[in-house]
Amino acid sequence: MNKEKILVIDDNEIVLQSCKRILESKNYSVTLCSSATEGIKTIEDHKFSLIIIDIVMPYCDGIKLSGKIQSNYPDSKILLISGYMEPKPFSEIIIEKKTNFIAKPFTPDELLKAVKSAIIRDPESTG
Amino acid sequence: MNHNIRFYLIASLLGMTVMVGGISLFFGTYLINKTVTREAKNKIQFDLNAALEIYSNVEKQINSGLSLTARDQGWEDCINDKDTYKMEQKLANLIQILDLDFSGFVKNNYTTLCRQSGNKPENPDTMINPVALLALETKSPISGTFVLSHDEIKAEDPKLAESIKITVVNTPEEESKELSEVTSCMVIASAVPIYENNLFLGVIYGGVILNHSIKIVDKVRKTVFQNEQYQGENIGTVTIFLKDLRISTNVLTKAGNRAVGTKISKEVGIKVLTEGESWIDRAFVVNNWNITAYKPIKDYHGDIAGILSVGVNESKYAEFKRNTLLVFIAITVAGIIIAVLLGYILSKLVLNPVYELIKISKKVSEGDLYPVIGKISKGEMGNLQKTFIEMVVSLREQNIHQKEESEKRLIISQKQASVGRLAAGVAHEINNPLTGVLTFTHMLLQRDDLDSEMKSDLETIAKATDRVKEIVKGLLNFSRQIKLKPELSNINKIIEETITLIENQALVKRVFLCFDPGSDIQQRTLDRSQFQSVIMNIIINAIDATNPGGNITISTRCNLKTQNGKHREIEIIIADNGCGISPDQLDKMFDPFFTTKEVGKGTGLGLSVSLGIIEHHGGTISVKSQIGKGSTFVIHLPLDKQNE
């Protein structure tokens, strides 16, 4: 089976470890980055099926980061996560950029479901 | 407006004075004119009567003089002796006493035996004096005014006949006419019969010539007018006319000669000569206007022979009238001056407290709610001052109330924002570890090698974690409820409203707020209340940092931001010229709980919360400051996508 490669960018170690544990249990290949700069470097060298990004991070927030990634790699698929439960202040951006979102805290099932649908989702054809 | 009250006061006083002065001037002049004219007419009539009396006295004098001479003894001897020398002496005596111009004796056989001139008639039978002839025929005394022909005078004395000629001065209308000469003569004459021993002997006669005579007219002037002079000229004049011609007068021509030979004015001539009536009125005499009286002189036969007239130069009365007028004008002018002065003093008295109040009102409007009112006047002005004080007091109370209200509102808004920010921060922080707990609990639960006790414990953890998740969700929902009420808003309008809310607070400190709204500011969705609390927070900080007399300038404008493509943003600049912020404080300004104010005066959450609110609207706050020169806060708010 061809392993789907997933990159997780979050400044919180517990969240990173949680994601790794859940996704690896379903045979995804998981790479972890604790900052936006590290994430961008990793994307340059590897191709990922999905990039999970935390919205609230120091220096460069998730919205900005996903904007950058999408402008450089238009094919890339992104799943945003945030502790603000609902991405109300950012909803406009998320809807406009057709980005997926899941609120923290999430159960393993919730994350897997969101990851699956994000990978399947074709950014050009779905709204 | 102040100027107007003073103006109206003075103007109305002035108007009154001018009106009263004008009316009294008008009626006074009218009355004086009327009275003076009436008095002048009365006087001139009186003068005329006096003149007539003098005129008839001349006649009486001649008559009585002749009568006395007629009674002398010796007339018969003279006639019988044909002693003309003695007769002539008697006549010469008579002439000297009576100042006669001619005289003579006619015998009862109609022969003139003797003439004053000594001129013996060549044909004594035909050349008898007409006055003497009348006496001869009636054998009784005759006296009166007579008009004698040139020949009749020539018969008396050829030299005399030459002197009575009068050259007529033509009136301007008759200028083209040839000069004419009047040779007839007006005389006052008398003839008295002489009886001796009841025998009628003849008559003696005598008379004075009026042509060119100055005796009577000057005597009348001397008696009636007492030679009163005005500006070097005699005021009163007397004239005797033969028909319409001046034959004896002291009216002078422009050249200074007696105006003998000039004519009477036409209308007076018609009235007096044709209708035989008196004239008492103004009349033009030779070259100026006089108050005059004319009366016809009838000759012995009862025909109108001429006129006796007196006149007074009008300029005497004119001067009196002018003087009176001047007095009236002087009184009016004095009244005007007094009215202006009075108006000025009155207006000053009335308006000074008003000016004072206006000055104080200005202070109050500039925010000084504790003005010094000074002495309270009596009456209405005092009431006004008292009411004004009451107004200021209630304004003060209202101001305090308003200030409290706006502060309360700000505190509530800040509290809400603080709670929201705190809740959001807490939720975010808790959600991260919660993700770990949930993940690992569920991962453990998926294992097959768990005994039932472990499984039930893990399920309890999962449930409890779910519960925590719900609590945090609730907390976030709560904060979100208060946090955002976004609506399409006009930023300039919100800033204006905010300034209105704290304007009084600024004025009390004598800090001036100035708003310069940009014209191209588009509407943007934002939370009005939160945004207002940010603006208010920054302005209040600025007021606190600014000394009295300082300025706070708030301005808005629209910028085109080129970074990351084209974005438009609204820039709100709040600049003060206050004390400024030191660089080390500048770094900590937006930290929560940072404050420069005394304990209890500020919460310290203000700027941190403000930053949070602006950031939630996608904007930024920056600050620049220089110690002693002031601080400038700049808020950047990106415009909504839909607005671009």
Side-chain angles (χ1 to χ4, degrees), chain A residues 41-72:
Chain A
K41 258 187 205 164
T42 315
I43 292 164
E44 278 169 13
D45 301 334
H46 303 91
K47 197 178 182 311
F48 294 99
S49 309
L50 182 70
I51 305 160
I52 299 171
I53 306 170
D54 183 25
I55 292 176
V56 184
M57 284 190 295
Y59 309 114
C60 181
D61 66 54
I63 304 287
K64 269 190 200 164
L65 183 60
S66 69
K68 261 186 201 170
I69 293 168
Q70 273 181 337
S71 62
N72 290 340

Side-chain angles (χ1 to χ4, degrees), chain B residues 518-562:
Chain B
S519 54
D520 53 349
I521 307 298
Q522 288 174 344
Q523 295 209 324
R524 186 198 196 277
T525 46
L526 46 78
D527 185 308
R528 295 174 64 99
S529 170
Q530 300 261 329
F531 179 72
Q532 195 171 23
S533 105
V534 171
I535 299 295
M536 197 186 276
N537 189 15
I538 294 173
I539 296 176
I540 286 173
N541 281 345
I543 292 172
D544 289 340
T546 307
N547 291 322
N551 294 310
I552 296 171
T553 315
I554 301 124
S555 56
T556 56
R557 64 180 188 209
C558 196
N559 279 350
L560 197 69
K561 202 172 151 193
T562 45

Side-chain angles (χ1 to χ4, degrees), chain B residues 349-491:
Chain B
L349 220 64
V350 172
L351 290 179
N352 266 4
V354 175
Y355 287 149
E356 199 62 31
L357 267 185
I358 289 168
K359 224 194 278 171
I360 294 163
S361 304
K362 210 169 173 190
K363 269 190 191 170
V364 171
S365 76
E366 279 167 2
D368 180 7
L369 293 179
Y370 296 87
V372 181
I373 300 229
K375 210 180 119 194
I376 304 283
S377 313
K378 282 175 190 169
E380 287 90 345
M381 200 48 72
N383 284 342
L384 181 62
Q385 284 170 319
K386 278 177 206 158
T387 315
F388 185 81
I389 292 171
E390 281 167 22
M391 189 190 78
V392 170
V393 168
S394 77
L395 206 63
R396 219 183 281 155
E397 281 166 3
Q398 199 186 335
N399 188 54
I400 290 165
H401 182 71
Q402 211 165 24
K403 194 183 161 193
E404 281 172 353
E405 275 296 299
S406 70
E407 276 175 356
K408 219 183 267 173
R409 206 177 136 177
L410 183 70
I411 287 166
I412 289 169
S413 179
Q414 282 182 342
K415 264 185 190 163
Q416 286 178 342
S418 308
V419 168
R421 192 164 163 74
L422 208 62
V426 167
H428 183 245
E429 288 311 310
I430 288 176
N431 278 337
N432 279 334
L434 221 51
T435 305
V437 176
L438 264 178
T439 302
F440 291 103
T441 312
H442 280 277
M443 294 308 291
L444 278 174
L445 272 170
Q446 279 169 13
R447 281 170 70 149
D448 303 328
D449 56 342
L450 296 175
D451 59 29
S452 59
E453 198 186 343
M454 278 172 83
K455 201 173 177 174
S456 120
D457 287 354
L458 281 170
E459 273 167 356
T460 309
I461 293 171
K463 267 184 205 161
T465 314
D466 272 337
R467 177 82 191 110
V468 173
K469 185 181 159 183
E470 287 308 309
I471 290 167
V472 172
K473 200 177 178 180
L475 192 63
L476 258 183
N477 277 342
F478 162 72
S479 79
R480 199 162 285 136
Q481 257 173 26
I482 19 170
K483 203 158 70 183
L484 282 176
K485 268 185 247 158
E487 50 192 319
L488 204 59
S489 312
N490 181 334
I491 287 180

Side-chain angles (χ1 to χ4, degrees), chain A residues 106-119:
Chain A
F106 41 76
T107 60
D109 290 345
E110 284 165 349
L111 179 67
L112 288 169
K113 207 176 150 192
V115 165
K116 259 181 203 166
S117 69
I119 291 172

Side-chain angles (χ1 to χ4, degrees), chain B residues 21 99 207 471 506 580 590 607:
Chain B
D99 200 14
I471 290 167
F590 294 100
L607 273 179

